[in-house]
Amino acid sequence: MPILRTLTVLTVLLAAVAAWLAVSLPDMTKVQVLTGEMAPAKVAATGDLPHSPPADVKWRPLDQVVLADWVGPYWLRFRSATSSSEDDDGRALRLSLRGASQLYWNGRSLAGNGTVGRTAEEEQPGRIDIVRVLPAPAATGKDELIVLASSQQQRVRLHSADVVAVVAPAALLYGDVLRPWLIAAFATGALAAACLYFLAVQRGRSRMPGAHLLLALCAVGLALPVVEAWRSLLGYAYPWHGPRLLLLLGLHLAAAVLLPAYLARRFGVVVPVGLRIAFVVALAAIAILMPGFDTRSAAALLLSLLASAGLLLWARDAQEERWPILALVLAGALALVMARGAFLDGPYFLLLAVLMGFLLLRHAAQLRALDQHNARLREERAQLSLQLLQRGIQPHWLMNTLTCLQELIEQAPLRASRLVESLAEQFDRLRDSSSRQSVPLADELALCRSHLDIVGLALDHPMTLEVDADDLRLSLPPGILHAQVENALTHAGAVACAQRPFRLSVRRHDDRWILELRSARGSAPHRGRGTGTRYIEASLAAAFPERWRFVQGSDGADWCGRIELTCAY
């Protein structure tokens, strides 16, 4: 299958990229994480801020939870666990801090980050991550970093401060920061290509069930790596960190909802309302009650993957298509459990790209197959429409009508005039209907009544069509009710139909339209699989692919034809 071959090539390519990146990862033994301490800073209400902490400052170990509530100014002190040497030239410092800061390395001032302030108005926010090239060590000894910081402009209060100070070779901190995001770039590019192909195939065609959910999931899949890479590749002022985390959580929750929703829609799984509510409540509890944004996102995605696996096992259709998706979903759930938070920074993008690429390509392939099927149905319907039009003006029926008209001209000129008008109206409506793909229900009823008027005038007995409808704005393929009326007149007989009126009921139940046409049953031994019935079924299949049902049969003294249409989403 071409789609499976494409998916295999895509998976192998992404796996190769991931393997190459894993092999070429930098030497992490050269990365040193500094040990931190913290203390409040006592500053005067006016004047310059201090450049060093006082000798009597009371340092305490860095507590990320407590520090998250400090707005400043406050002191941070980081010390290396190993001694530096002259060989450590070319080092750089990477400091992650949600605040503005002044930096002092071994007593020497480094370029600051924003402006530390006593108040929010005085402070200029710094960037959340900074890299500073360190001076060459003056003498052998342990390094010390002193930071005066303030975090007056926090937009979202977070559970942890997440302060980290790292010393490593400058080439590692500056150049290799892009390397891990090559995986996300390849995955995002592959997903974007699959999405563009899907849109190209989708353009100008009727949508299959779940297409809008799939497109929304694709949009989330493209937005996630962009927002995730925002910090590493572009950076931002620290007040944007909270909104970015909320946006990431919102995208993860959206993906957690859209994936099982699409699979349920795609495979026709009817999920009870109670289970839907329980799923949404569980996601809301995860988003509100669990600590840490990474924990919340991972838990929401794990719940979504498990729910998706359950839906795929529950489904009964499309066996060959379900198993690859189920394998991908279970692989993602296993990787998430094993890698936990690290899953969100790389493997998740690979899983999303492969899964979404497969879903998009499969959906597009099914859409193309459906178009080919619909083309055959339209060709068949066109042939049947021609047959129906020919049947409407068949010589036998037309000869009988003209013979009756000749008698009426002599015996009842007024009836003859009405018959001519009805006959002209009938031919005009048949010509108009045969050239259209769909007609309003009101027009279809007018065509049926015109035909019944002609037969009723010929018999000198009125024939009626009673309508009980919730709404007449429904559109139908042309001629499907007219064909049922003709079948009744042909098989049950005009006399029987004159004695028992036609009755049409139009009702809507949830997402379905139900049209039920009752007429005289008659005594014909064969009924139900002629040209008219085949025309009705072909027309419904072309207009409502996989969303229609037509049954007919005797019901007491009536012949009942029932059409069920599922509303398009």
Side-chain angles (χ1 to χ4, degrees), residues 195-246:
C195 185
L196 290 176
Y197 173 76
F198 175 77
L199 290 174
V201 174
Q202 178 75 50
R203 184 178 181 183
R205 294 177 171 88
S206 59
R207 291 189 174 183
M208 289 178 60
H212 62 296
L213 294 173
L214 184 57
L215 287 174
L217 183 58
C218 181
V220 171
L222 292 174
L224 264 171
V226 174
V227 178
E228 188 71 55
W230 179 14
R231 174 175 179 171
S232 299
L233 301 184
L234 299 177
Y236 47 81
Y238 82 86
W240 286 101
H241 187 63
R244 171 181 167 270
L245 291 180
L246 289 175

Side-chain angles (χ1 to χ4, degrees), residues 347-562:
Y348 175 61
F349 302 134
L350 287 173
L351 170 71
L352 194 62
V354 174
L355 177 60
M356 287 298 303
F358 180 81
L359 293 177
L360 286 166
L361 295 178
R362 281 301 305 156
H363 202 103
Q366 289 166 356
L367 192 60
R368 293 174 67 92
L370 181 61
D371 281 346
Q372 296 174 356
H373 177 65
N374 286 342
R376 292 193 298 269
L377 289 176
R378 283 192 294 269
E379 181 179 355
E380 180 182 354
R381 195 178 71 84
Q383 296 174 353
L384 292 171
S385 180
L386 178 60
Q387 295 176 16
L388 197 66
L389 184 60
Q390 292 172 344
R391 183 182 176 186
I393 57 175
Q394 59 181 304
H396 179 70
W397 178 81
L398 185 59
M399 183 180 299
N400 289 340
T401 303
L402 292 177
T403 300
C404 179
L405 176 62
Q406 185 177 14
E407 296 177 357
L408 290 177
I409 291 175
E410 298 176 356
Q411 300 174 6
L414 292 179
R415 281 176 54 200
S417 177
R418 288 174 53 197
L419 180 58
V420 170
E421 292 175 357
S422 297
L423 194 59
E425 181 182 0
Q426 173 78 350
F427 289 155
D428 184 61
R429 291 186 181 278
L430 280 172
R431 175 187 57 80
D432 181 62
S433 296
S434 63
S435 62
R436 299 166 64 182
Q437 295 294 324
S438 65
V439 296
L441 177 58
D443 290 355
E444 181 70 9
L445 293 176
L447 176 63
C448 296
R449 288 192 171 106
S450 175
H451 190 78
L452 292 176
D453 284 344
I454 295 173
V455 178
L457 288 170
L459 290 177
D460 193 20
H461 193 295
M463 307 189 72
T464 58
L465 172 59
E466 300 174 357
V467 178
D468 180 16
D470 290 340
D471 195 338
L472 293 179
R473 291 175 295 180
L474 177 66
S475 292
L476 300 171
I480 61 172
L481 295 181
H482 178 263
Q484 294 184 68
V485 170
E486 279 200 327
N487 281 346
L489 293 172
T490 300
H491 296 284
V495 175
C497 291
Q499 295 172 350
R500 194 174 189 85
F502 289 85
R503 299 188 305 278
L504 175 67
S505 171
V506 181
R507 293 287 180 266
R508 180 164 183 172
H509 296 281
D510 297 328
D511 63 340
R512 292 182 303 150
W513 282 100
I514 300 176
L515 295 86
E516 191 173 271
L517 181 63
R518 291 181 173 272
S519 60
R521 186 180 67 179
S523 57
H526 302 290
R527 184 174 178 182
R529 293 306 306 169
T531 302
T533 299
R534 289 189 290 116
Y535 171 79
I536 294 169
E537 293 175 346
S539 298
L540 291 174
F544 303 93
E546 300 182 0
R547 293 183 286 114
W548 66 276
R549 182 169 177 262
F550 175 60
V551 293
Q552 57 181 344
S554 58
D555 183 9
D558 294 337
W559 182 266
C560 179
R562 181 185 177 93

Side-chain angles (χ1 to χ4, degrees), residues 161-310:
D162 298 323
V163 176
V164 178
V166 174
V167 174
L172 179 62
L173 292 182
Y174 276 106
D176 292 329
V177 68
L178 299 177
R179 190 186 303 271
W181 291 103
L182 289 177
I183 296 179
F186 273 91
T188 304
L191 180 56
C195 185
L196 290 176
Y197 173 76
F198 175 77
L199 290 174
V201 174
Q202 178 75 50
R203 184 178 181 183
R205 294 177 171 88
S206 59
R207 291 189 174 183
M208 289 178 60
H212 62 296
L213 294 173
L214 184 57
L215 287 174
L217 183 58
C218 181
V220 171
L222 292 174
L224 264 171
V226 174
V227 178
E228 188 71 55
W230 179 14
R231 174 175 179 171
S232 299
L233 301 184
L234 299 177
Y236 47 81
Y238 82 86
W240 286 101
H241 187 63
R244 171 181 167 270
L245 291 180
L246 289 175
L247 180 57
L248 278 173
L249 178 60
L251 290 172
H252 283 121
L253 290 174
V257 171
L258 289 171
L259 179 59
Y262 167 73
L263 293 176
R265 188 80 177 91
R266 172 66 188 86
F267 293 105
V269 178
V270 179
V271 181
V273 176
L275 287 181
R276 298 183 191 181
I277 295 176
F279 180 75
V280 174
V281 170
L283 286 179
I286 288 172
I288 296 173
L289 302 178
M290 295 194 71
F293 279 85
D294 284 351
T295 303
R296 297 173 186 174
S297 297
L301 292 176
L302 180 60
L303 178 62
S304 175
L305 292 173
L306 293 178
S308 300

Side-chain angles (χ1 to χ4, degrees), residues 325-353:
I325 302 175
L326 180 60
L328 288 172
V329 167
L330 292 178
L334 181 61
L336 179 56
V337 171
M338 296 179 62
R340 298 185 181 179
F343 178 80
L344 303 175
D345 296 330
Y348 175 61
F349 302 134
L350 287 173
L351 170 71
L352 194 62

